[in-house]
């Protein structure tokens, strides 16, 4: 509820005002809402000097005479409504004076405002000579009332009408005087005007309170200046960005607080400016400037500013929320099982690589745990809370690779999503992008990939906007990329960009007793998963597993352990169980030299009829029989389409007619 402070000179006036207030409230309370209609507080004061500052905590003040004039000067931010002196007020005061002095020869009327007009009208009505003495038009010292009283005496006036201070002074000196009281008419006029002002002021204060709440809870720094570039408003966010106290900054010229040359040049621009990047000290600020206008008159500017680091942090959170696709690394170095010197050395090397942002190439045979190491490096790095985006380059159709890596805008091509899509680099911003089987990236895409890695910028398909990205790239390959570079199948400049750090993973056959540790882990895991009785390996079974070649490395070992758990009905897994599972595979398997590339078609290993040198002939035969339908050919060969596509590239087999 709004508040009106009504200042009166004595108890008699207070009683009259209270009666008028009660009548006014009964009449007007139904017009205004409860929260807008004013609560009127009365206080008796003869001078502004006797009013405490706390008493002026009101929307409007009502006062009269000299007190009202002084309040307007001392409290310019609070509206002061002056109680008017009407002709009826003068008539009542004159009647009171005539009771003391029935035949006043001349009356000094001391007041202000419309006193000249009111004195003339009252004099004509009652055939009495009034001498109006206006407070504001007469030179005065600090003791105003005494000076005006002495001036009236010097002019020959011996009867007085005016305020309470004048009446007391005149009577103390033996002169007749009457108080010009405020009638209910005057009080009603003042109350009605004050109520109207208070209602408007209440609405403005509510609006200002909402604005201040918005301003101070905005994450964006906001500064408002007037037409002289002096700050009239600054929120806490702006103070934090600039390192200033918002309260102390009010009234200062903005160029004095931000003296950077680039900001001063920005300030001189007449037009509105957006997304200007300015360096202030060690921080980089994104700055906007918009003119504030009143009609066609420009009354100042509003500046908004944000710290780039905060924007980037917010961007990461938004990207994470909008793309809840499990972009996290699940494994750490503690999840890597092994006690051999080879694996311990590799882990130690990977831990050191994890601490730096350099791009890394992980090389190892299929199934050695390249992604496990990539995830562990991410979780041991300063980027552990940022996204981890894993991409199998061999599994993405060539015609979709560019859109998947770099993203696209809505409707950029036939079949594109209307909302557009972020690419892998955007998704991995501030985090890690893991590119598995990086050797399968088409040659024509490699140049675009190189540019993104070099410049840290990406442009979506169908868009002209550059998007900055900050990504660590970890690549993995089961092939030696150097021969591919020499053969012109992989760009040399891209190779050196990706292989800044290199990590070679040892094959399982070189890790000795680690095979037994891994087998124990997988058997316990699958026993729990299948809710079967807990199983363990016999020493003979463990030795048999350790002695195997493991062309498929850990992946093959895991598959064997799963079969052992499914087929075994007892508590222990013996040598006979291992032989029954391993013999069909061993019939066609052979140990290759360490480091030799190996991607074997399962169908060949099952039959044992052909060795690796016959793969190309078999693939060609099946493709020709199926009219180069890769889907049907991959089903017959027992491999997936991406593996078949990779083998075709390896052997230089051209896809002729089918798109399937």
């Amino acid at each position: 509820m709004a508040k009106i402070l009504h200042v009166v000179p004595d108890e008699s006036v207070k009683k009259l005002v209270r009666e008028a207030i009660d009548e006014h409230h009964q009449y007007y309370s139904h017009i205004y809402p409860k929260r807008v209609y004013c609560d009127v507080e009365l206080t008796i004061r003869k001078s502004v000097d006797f009013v405490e500052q706390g008493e002026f905590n009101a929307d409007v003040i009502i006062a009269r005479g000299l007190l009202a004039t002084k309040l307007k000067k001392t409290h310019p931010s609070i509206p002061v409504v002056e109680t008017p002196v009407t002709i009826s007020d003068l008539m009542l005061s004159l009647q009171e004076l005539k009771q003391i002095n029935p035949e006043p020869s001349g009356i000094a009327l001391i007041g202000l405002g419309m006193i000249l007009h009111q004195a003339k009208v009252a004099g004509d009505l009652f055939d009495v000579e009034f001498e109006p003495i206006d407070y504001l038009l007469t030179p005065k010292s600090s003791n105003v009332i005494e000076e005006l009283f002495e001036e009236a005496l010097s002019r020959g006036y011996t009867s007085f009408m005016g305020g309470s201070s004048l009446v007391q002074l005149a009577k103390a000196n033996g002169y007749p005087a009457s108080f010009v009281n405020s009638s209910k008419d005057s009080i009603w006029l003042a109350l009605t005007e004050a109520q109207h002002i208070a209602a408007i002021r209440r609405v403005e204060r509510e609006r200002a309170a909402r604005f201040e709440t918005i301003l101070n809870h905005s994450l964006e720094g906001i500064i408002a200046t007037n037409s002289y570039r002096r700050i009239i408003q600054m929120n806490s966010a702006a103070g934090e960005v600039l390192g200033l106290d918002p309260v102390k900054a009010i009234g200062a010229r903005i160029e004095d607080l931000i003296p950077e040359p680039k900001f001063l040049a920005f300030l001189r621009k007449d037009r509105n400016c957006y997304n200007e990047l300015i360096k202030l000290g060690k921080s980089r600020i994104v700055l906007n400037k918009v003119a504030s206008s009143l009609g066609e008159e420009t009354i100042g500017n509003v500046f908004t500013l944000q710290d780039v680091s905060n924007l980037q942090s917010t961007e990461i959170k938004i990207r994470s929320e909008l793309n809840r696709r499990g972009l996290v690394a699940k494994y750490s170095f503690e999840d890597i099982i092994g006690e051999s010197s080879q694996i311990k050395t590799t882990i130690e090397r990977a831990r050191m690589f994890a601490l730096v942002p350099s791009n890394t190439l992980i090389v190892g045979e299929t199934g050695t745990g390249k992604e496990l190491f990539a995830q562990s490096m991410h979780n041991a790095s300063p980027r552990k809370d940022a996204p981890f985006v894993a991409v199998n380059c061999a599994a993405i159709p060539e015609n979709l690779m560019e859109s998947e890596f770099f993203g696209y805008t809505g409707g950029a091509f036939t079949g594109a999503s209307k909302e557009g899509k972020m690419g892998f680099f955007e998704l991995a911003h501030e985090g890690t992008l893991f590119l598995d089987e990086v050797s399968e990236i088409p040659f024509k895409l490699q140049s675009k990939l190189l540019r993104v890695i070099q410049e840290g910028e990406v442009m979506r398909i169908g868009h002209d906007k550059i998007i900055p990205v900050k990504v660590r790239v970890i690549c993995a390959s089961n092939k030696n990329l150097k021969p591919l570079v020499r053969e012109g199948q992989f760009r040399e400049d891209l190779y050196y960009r990706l292989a800044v750090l290199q990590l070679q993973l040892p094959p399982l056959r070189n890790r000795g007793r680690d095979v037994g540790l891994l087998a124990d882990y997988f058997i316990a895991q699958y026993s729990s998963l299948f809710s079967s009785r807990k199983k363990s390996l016999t020493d003979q079974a463990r030795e048999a597993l350790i002695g195997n070649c493991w062309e498929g490395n850990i992946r093959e070992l895991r598959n064997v352990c799963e079969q052992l758990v499914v087929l075994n009905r007892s508590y222990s897994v013996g040598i006979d169980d291992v032989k029954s599972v391993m013999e069909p595979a061993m019939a066609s398997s052979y140990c290759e030299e360490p480091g030799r590339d190996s991607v074997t078609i399962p169908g060949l290993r099952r039959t044992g009829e052909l060795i690796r040198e016959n793969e190309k002939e078999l693939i060609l035969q099946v493709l020709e029989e199926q009219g180069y339908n890769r889907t049907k050919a991959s089903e017959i060969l027992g491999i997936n389409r991406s593996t078949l596509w990779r083998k075709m590239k390896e052997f230089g087999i051209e896809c002729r007619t089918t798109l399937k």
Side-chain angles (χ1 to χ4, degrees):
M1 181 180 289
K3 175 184 174 183
I4 295 175
L5 178 66
H6 202 308
V7 184
V8 295
D10 55 41
E11 283 291 344
S12 62
V13 179
K14 182 177 181 179
K15 181 179 179 182
L16 180 66
V17 171
R18 174 53 62 193
E19 292 175 358
I21 289 171
D22 292 340
E23 294 176 7
H24 191 273
H25 182 271
Q26 292 176 8
Y27 185 80
Y28 280 105
S29 60
H30 68 283
I31 297 175
Y32 296 97
K34 184 177 180 180
R35 67 182 181 84
V36 174
Y37 189 79
C38 295
D39 179 27
V40 182
E41 180 179 322
L42 286 169
T43 183
I44 300 175
R45 294 291 186 272
K46 295 183 182 296
S47 169
V48 70
D49 301 328
F50 297 101
V51 182
E52 297 292 334
Q53 291 289 330
E55 292 188 72
F56 294 122
N57 184 23
D59 294 274
V60 185
I61 298 174
I62 300 176
R64 51 168 279 166
L66 186 59
L67 182 59
T69 302
K70 288 186 176 181
L71 285 171
K72 289 177 182 178
K73 291 181 179 180
T74 56
H75 294 78
S77 62
I78 304 175
V80 177
V81 174
E82 188 174 348
T83 305
V85 176
T86 63
I87 299 298
S88 60
D89 295 337
L90 293 178
M91 291 170 57
L92 293 173
S93 180
L94 181 59
Q95 288 179 355
E96 182 183 341
L97 182 62
K98 283 188 173 183
Q99 291 177 0
I100 303 171
N101 182 13
E103 296 294 335
S105 57
I107 302 173
L109 177 60
I110 299 176
L112 46 75
M114 296 182 67
I115 188 171
L116 294 174
H117 171 72
Q118 293 164 340
K120 183 178 183 305
V121 173
D124 292 341
L125 287 173
F126 295 97
D127 194 23
V128 174
E129 181 186 354
F130 282 100
E131 176 64 20
I133 301 176
D134 195 314
Y135 293 137
L136 303 181
L137 300 179
T138 307
K140 298 170 286 296
S141 63
S142 58
N143 200 337
V144 179
I145 299 300
E146 290 187 8
E147 181 182 341
L148 296 178
F149 176 70
E150 294 295 336
E151 182 179 341
L153 289 176
S154 66
R155 295 183 188 180
Y157 293 95
T158 56
S159 298
F160 298 88
M161 289 172 55
S164 58
S165 298
L166 173 68
V167 171
Q168 290 179 6
L169 181 60
K171 289 183 176 180
N173 285 276
Y175 294 99
S178 65
F179 175 61
V180 180
N181 205 347
S182 298
S183 63
K184 283 188 178 180
D185 293 344
S186 303
I187 297 170
W188 265 62
L189 286 171
L191 280 171
T192 303
E193 183 180 356
Q195 173 62 61
H196 179 64
I197 294 172
I200 295 173
R201 187 170 168 81
R202 168 73 186 203
V203 172
E204 290 299 322
R205 287 178 68 181
E206 288 181 358
R207 185 180 300 165
R210 293 190 190 99
F211 172 74
E212 188 173 354
T213 301
I214 294 170
L215 196 68
N216 289 326
H217 288 80
S218 172
L219 299 178
E220 190 174 37
I222 301 173
I223 302 174
T225 61
N226 60 16
S227 56
Y228 302 102
R229 294 181 181 172
R230 293 196 177 275
I231 296 173
I232 57 175
Q233 189 66 265
M234 176 189 286
N235 69 350
S236 55
E240 185 175 344
V241 170
L242 299 175
L244 299 171
D245 184 344
V247 176
K248 294 180 180 179
I250 302 300
R253 290 175 62 86
I254 191 167
E255 54 263 46
D256 295 337
L257 297 182
I258 313 176
E260 294 289 335
K262 191 171 181 180
F263 175 76
L264 297 179
F266 170 80
L267 197 61
R268 286 192 290 269
K269 296 178 181 179
D270 294 331
R271 56 184 175 82
N272 295 339
C273 301
Y274 303 94
N275 299 324
E276 290 278 347
L277 189 61
I278 295 176
K279 189 172 183 180
L280 299 179
K282 295 182 179 180
S283 302
R284 289 188 300 162
I285 308 298
V286 175
L287 194 62
N288 302 291
K289 182 184 75 169
V290 179
S292 52
S293 303
L294 188 63
E296 296 183 358
E297 179 188 0
T298 300
I299 59 174
N301 289 289
V302 175
F303 299 85
T304 61
L305 54 157
Q306 284 184 287
D307 194 313
V308 170
S309 60
N310 292 338
L311 282 173
Q312 291 174 334
S313 176
T314 303
E315 180 188 12
I316 293 170
K317 291 179 182 178
I318 292 172
R319 288 183 180 186
S320 177
E321 289 295 321
L322 292 178
N323 296 277
R324 291 176 177 247
R325 295 168 51 182
L327 304 181
V328 294
K330 297 180 290 184
Y331 300 107
S332 63
F333 287 117
E334 287 70 25
D335 295 312
I336 300 175
I337 298 171
E339 296 179 352
S340 64
S341 60
Q342 292 93 332
I343 197 66
K344 286 184 176 180
T345 300
T346 305
I347 291 174
E348 183 61 29
R349 189 181 184 91
R351 285 186 186 275
M352 291 189 288
F353 287 176
L355 301 177
V356 295
S358 307
N359 295 335
T360 304
L361 174 63
I362 302 176
V363 181
E365 296 178 12
T366 299
T368 50
K370 293 184 287 295
E371 183 168 354
L372 178 63
F373 269 86
Q375 292 193 25
S376 299
M377 289 172 62
H378 173 81
N379 280 332
S381 74
R383 301 167 181 261
K384 61 182 179 180
D385 296 324
F388 177 86
V389 179
V391 181
N392 188 333
C393 300
I396 304 173
E398 186 173 348
N399 61 333
L400 294 180
M401 266 200 174
E402 185 174 357
S403 62
E404 291 294 325
F405 271 94
F406 310 127
Y408 58 84
T409 58
F413 51 86
T414 303
S417 169
K418 293 181 180 179
E419 294 80 19
K421 183 181 179 181
M422 285 195 290
F424 296 137
F425 278 95
E426 283 188 76
L427 289 172
H429 181 58
E430 292 290 345
T432 302
L433 177 61
F434 173 59
L435 302 179
D436 196 10
E437 300 193 61
V438 68
S439 61
E440 306 306 319
I441 296 177
F443 192 82
K444 66 179 182 180
L445 186 66
Q446 291 178 20
S447 60
K448 295 183 179 180
L449 185 64
L450 173 65
R451 180 166 181 81
V452 173
I453 295 172
Q454 283 185 162
E455 304 299 330
E457 296 175 343
V458 67
M459 182 186 294
R460 293 188 184 183
I461 297 174
H463 208 297
D464 59 357
K465 180 182 178 183
I466 296 294
I467 302 171
V469 289
K470 189 177 180 181
V471 177
R472 182 193 189 170
V473 179
I474 299 179
C475 298
S477 177
N478 61 354
K479 296 180 180 179
N480 188 344
L481 296 183
K482 275 289 187 116
L484 297 179
V485 172
R486 287 194 296 268
E487 295 167 9
Q489 298 181 36
F490 201 88
R491 290 181 64 103
E492 185 177 16
D493 46 7
L494 178 60
Y495 170 77
Y496 287 113
R497 276 286 176 183
L498 297 177
V500 177
L501 306 177
Q502 297 189 40
L503 187 68
Q504 179 75 45
L505 302 190
L508 186 57
R509 60 181 171 273
N510 293 344
R511 292 175 55 183
R513 294 292 170 181
D514 285 353
V515 176
L517 296 175
L518 288 164
D520 289 335
Y521 172 78
F522 288 134
I523 286 175
Q525 184 184 50
Y526 286 118
S527 296
S528 175
L529 181 64
F530 300 147
S531 300
S532 62
R533 60 182 62 182
K534 186 177 180 180
K535 299 174 174 59
S536 60
L537 286 167
T538 64
D539 292 340
Q540 287 182 318
R542 184 176 289 102
E543 290 299 325
L545 292 174
I546 292 172
N548 189 47
C549 251
W550 300 115
E551 293 179 35
N553 290 289
I554 298 171
R555 186 177 293 117
E556 183 183 2
L557 174 62
R558 184 178 60 196
N559 292 344
V560 167
C561 291
E562 185 174 356
Q563 289 188 67
L564 290 173
V565 172
V566 172
L567 297 176
N568 189 276
R569 301 291 182 182
S570 64
Y571 289 101
S572 65
V573 178
I575 183 64
D576 292 335
D577 297 314
V578 172
K579 287 181 178 180
S580 66
V581 171
M582 295 291 295
E583 279 180 354
M586 289 177 180
S588 62
S589 67
Y590 61 98
C591 287
E592 298 179 342
E593 296 177 4
R596 179 178 174 184
D597 297 336
S598 175
V599 180
T600 307
I601 298 175
L604 295 178
R605 296 187 60 195
R606 285 197 301 270
T607 63
E609 297 175 354
L610 295 171
I611 59 176
R612 178 178 173 81
E613 285 74 11
N614 299 116
E615 284 183 345
K616 181 177 180 180
E617 287 76 5
L618 177 61
I619 292 172
L620 273 171
Q621 179 184 342
V622 174
L623 284 170
E624 288 174 357
E625 289 175 354
Q626 301 303 319
Y628 282 83
N629 186 314
R630 291 203 302 272
T631 301
K632 292 182 179 179
S634 62
E635 291 176 356
I636 293 172
L637 291 168
I639 59 178
N640 58 42
R641 291 179 70 252
S642 62
T643 301
L644 175 59
W645 176 69
R646 186 168 65 253
K647 299 297 289 184
M648 289 172 67
K649 289 183 64 178
E650 180 182 344
F651 294 126
I653 299 173
E654 182 181 355
C655 184
R656 298 180 183 176
T657 57
T658 182
L659 296 176
K660 298 180 180 180

